[in-house]
Amino acid sequence: MLRSLTLLLERKRTFNVLLVLNGLVALATCIGFGHHGGGDIDTYQGLAVGILNGEYSYWWPLQQYIPDTFRTPGYPLYIALVMWLFGTWKALTFVQFGIYAASVWLMLKCVGRMGGGLLAKNIALLLLLPSINIPFYIGTMLPEIPVMICIMGICWIWTKQERTWADAIGMGALYAFIFQCRPIFLLFPLCILACDILFKRGRLPWMKEITALGIFGLSLIPFGLWNQSNHGKFSVTPLEGGGGVFHTGYWAGRIPNYREMRYWGNMTGDEIFDFVPYEDRAAEIAAFNAEWDSIDAQLAPFLTHQDTVMLDSIVKIGPVCRTWNTQYTLERDKILIAQTWKNIAEHPGYYFTFKTYSAVRLWVIGIMREDFRNADLKGRIKILYPTLMTLTIFLLAIITVPLALIRKRIRLKEVYPMILLLLYYTAIHLPFTIQARYTTSVRLVLYVLMAMAISALLKKPSTDQEATGKPPVKTQ
């Protein structure tokens, strides 16, 4: 049976059918969900409209200028460009559908360049087919899809046997855009350089690597200067974000199914496992709010007239994150980071357990217990499907990729950039709140790796490969 399945997956007709089916699934997902988005849509759209009105702020209608402290400008600029070209943000769906299609094309090109034939390409398409969690973001005002094509562009450059100067410039530009959409990406270019030095040694094209890093470094300066001009501090990242999500990332497992109203109004997940006893939830919520009472008391001396104007204008502006004055924002970040480290030191067992679970949940869409309990049969199927689908793919990945590496069906020195990217995205998001969508942009990378691993395991190695332990030479 396995041999018959392998033969089926090696056919060109199968490739064409899977390609069409994936297109139909993406289209049906877009139509089924329409234009949608989470709480982030208000800040992204507000900043985009602010840019079109000459201010990097969603408080632009006010007489008082309140510069943003929350976002890097990459995705708001992208939205502003779409709105300027088409007159509405809803055109994002059409733009991002094209971007999604191009990302899938790059995925298949990467598989081919790594030596994968029709079998590997069809496995990649087969993995993508049930993954409606990826095309779901085509219709959202969230940066997952634009970041995804940039990441696949980087992989496309990685899989080339020889990089050109155009590749080096392109790599730097892709690094820059990803960071300006997702500042969590800041350290990755340095991490990949360290791995390149380890794996390539004397074959490292130093000048091209330096060029890519130089372009990336230069791209950080304008926003840093904007922060210097508007907040009196040169910072290539937003003034807030790290401390708040670090603090929330600690408390999320202790106060499940609770909407906090002390920071960004986040709703903590009602996960399928309890990390503190159920009967202690009320006490934990009280402790969380008491901690914030203490934090607010420490921050009270830093409040200014700007904050009064901002708070009085929330109804007029809409449901956006509150933008406090510069000193207040910086002091709050310091206090939140220090308090979180103190909390971790007091409850290391809880934190280790919760973050181990988080590492899996970043890849597996969760089930919220109360939502599942209150749903009818149809609703429960809708909740179960994405969880079971992503769990199956996750388990298949952690089995097949290491197995193919151990059996030398794929070589670590050929795939290490993709493995590093997946590990980086997992590790860098661990301290913060659980959001499976944060790994959406790198899921096609996972499918490339899995396709190469599974196809290599299914196919009997050639005589030369058995003798040398080396997989076939990759093609251009």
Side-chain angles (χ1 to χ4, degrees):
M1 182 179 176
L2 192 60
R3 177 60 181 161
S4 299
L5 178 61
T6 302
L7 289 172
L8 179 64
L9 289 173
E10 288 180 321
R11 295 178 182 173
K12 180 68 174 178
R13 180 177 295 179
T14 304
F15 176 82
N16 292 332
V17 169
L18 285 173
L19 208 56
V20 170
L21 287 176
N22 270 288
L24 292 174
V25 167
L27 185 60
T29 303
C30 289
I31 294 172
F33 289 101
H35 305 291
H36 54 92
D40 290 346
I41 188 172
D42 300 307
T43 56
Y44 281 127
Q45 187 175 19
L47 287 172
V49 175
I51 289 170
L52 293 174
N53 282 275
E55 289 185 9
Y56 190 57
S57 171
Y58 34 72
W59 307 92
W60 61 269
L62 304 182
Q63 205 169 26
Q64 166 85 51
Y65 177 48
I66 304 178
D68 188 65
T69 60
F70 187 30
R71 302 259 185 221
T72 41
Y75 194 63
L77 280 168
Y78 162 86
I79 298 168
L81 178 61
V82 171
M83 293 174 71
W84 180 71
L85 289 172
F86 300 100
T88 172
W89 72 267
K90 292 184 178 180
L92 282 172
T93 298
F94 301 99
V95 174
Q96 292 182 170
F97 191 93
I99 292 174
Y100 174 78
S103 300
V104 174
W105 180 81
L106 285 172
M107 175 186 76
L108 296 173
K109 292 294 289 184
C110 289
V111 170
R113 281 185 170 178
M114 294 174 72
L118 274 175
L119 176 60
K121 290 178 181 179
N122 285 335
I123 289 171
L125 289 173
L126 199 59
L127 290 166
L128 181 62
L129 187 60
S131 303
I132 61 171
N133 57 308
I134 303 177
F136 171 85
Y137 288 99
I138 291 172
T140 63
M141 193 182 287
L142 294 169
E144 270 59 42
I145 298 297
V147 168
M148 183 170 69
I149 195 171
C150 291
I151 286 174
M152 293 314 301
I154 289 172
C155 291
W156 182 75
I157 295 172
W158 279 337
T159 53
K160 294 184 73 172
Q161 288 185 345
E162 295 292 335
R163 294 184 197 173
T164 65
W165 283 104
D167 293 329
I169 295 169
M171 184 77 84
L174 291 170
Y175 284 163
F177 183 73
I178 294 171
F179 168 78
Q180 293 300 336
C181 290
R182 289 289 185 215
I184 207 85
F185 194 76
L186 178 63
L187 299 177
F188 181 78
L190 296 176
C191 292
I192 192 62
L193 176 61
C195 286
D196 282 346
I197 293 170
L198 177 64
F199 283 95
K200 292 186 177 179
R201 296 174 186 172
R203 298 180 295 109
L204 188 67
W206 277 105
M207 290 307 297
K208 291 171 185 173
E209 292 273 359
I210 291 170
T211 298
L213 278 177
I215 291 170
F216 174 58
L218 288 172
S219 74
L220 304 177
I221 295 175
F223 186 58
L225 292 175
W226 184 89
N227 274 323
Q228 177 71 52
S229 174
N230 288 276
H231 297 294
K233 178 181 179 181
F234 183 88
S235 174
V236 300
T237 58
L239 263 63
E240 65 176 294
V245 288
F246 185 38
H247 184 259
T248 307
Y250 166 82
W251 276 102
R254 305 185 75 87
I255 53 171
N257 200 31
Y258 177 72
R259 183 172 295 282
E260 59 84 13
M261 299 306 296
R262 311 303 294 265
Y263 194 63
W264 290 337
N266 286 319
M267 183 73 184
T268 55
D270 188 13
E271 302 292 337
I272 57 175
F273 298 108
D274 286 322
F275 297 94
V276 295
Y278 181 83
E279 58 272 16
D280 291 348
R281 285 190 183 185
E284 292 292 342
I285 290 170
F288 170 80
N289 284 301
E291 188 167 287
W292 265 107
D293 288 342
S294 173
I295 292 168
D296 286 341
Q298 295 175 66
L299 292 171
F302 301 106
L303 292 172
T304 66
H305 175 69
Q306 174 186 311
D307 304 308
T308 302
V309 172
M310 179 269 297
L311 290 172
D312 289 345
S313 305
I314 286 177
V315 175
K316 177 182 178 181
I317 300 299
V320 293
C321 292
R322 291 168 291 179
T323 306
W324 305 95
N325 73 76
T326 300
Q327 190 175 6
Y328 182 100
T329 301
L330 293 173
E331 291 296 328
R332 181 178 61 177
D333 216 50
K334 291 177 186 176
I335 293 170
L336 287 171
I337 290 172
Q339 182 62 52
T340 304
W341 280 119
K342 180 182 176 183
N343 291 343
I344 293 170
E346 291 174 355
H347 300 98
Y350 151 77
Y351 193 72
F352 175 79
T353 304
F354 184 50
K355 292 307 168 182
T356 301
Y357 171 78
S358 299
V360 177
R361 270 285 281 109
L362 282 166
W363 292 96
V364 179
I365 294 171
I367 296 174
M368 300 299 104
R369 281 186 293 189
E370 188 170 329
D371 292 343
F372 186 79
R373 194 180 300 120
N374 295 333
D376 57 15
L377 179 60
K378 183 179 178 181
R380 290 186 176 187
I381 292 172
K382 286 182 177 180
I383 293 171
L384 279 172
Y385 172 75
T387 300
L388 295 176
M389 179 268 296
T390 50
L391 177 61
T392 300
I393 291 175
F394 175 77
L395 293 174
L396 192 61
I398 62 174
I399 293 170
T400 57
V401 174
L403 187 61
L405 287 167
I406 291 169
R407 292 187 176 180
K408 300 188 187 316
R409 301 296 181 86
I410 57 175
R411 288 184 291 181
L412 182 60
K413 69 178 183 178
E414 299 290 349
V415 300
Y416 74 86
M418 297 183 183
I419 292 175
L420 176 65
L421 187 58
L422 300 176
L423 293 176
Y424 179 87
Y425 257 69
T426 302
I428 205 73
H429 286 105
L430 270 186
F432 309 127
T433 52
I434 299 173
Q435 291 257 18
R437 74 176 172 91
Y438 290 150
T439 57
T440 300
S441 298
V442 294
R443 286 187 187 256
L444 294 189
V445 179
L446 177 66
Y447 294 172
V448 171
L449 267 177
M450 292 177 68
M452 294 303 300
I454 295 170
S455 63
L457 290 169
L458 287 175
K459 293 178 74 173
K460 186 178 179 181
S462 64
T463 304
D464 290 342
Q465 187 177 340
E466 287 178 326
T468 63
K470 296 180 180 180
V473 177
K474 63 182 181 180
T475 59
Q476 286 290 340

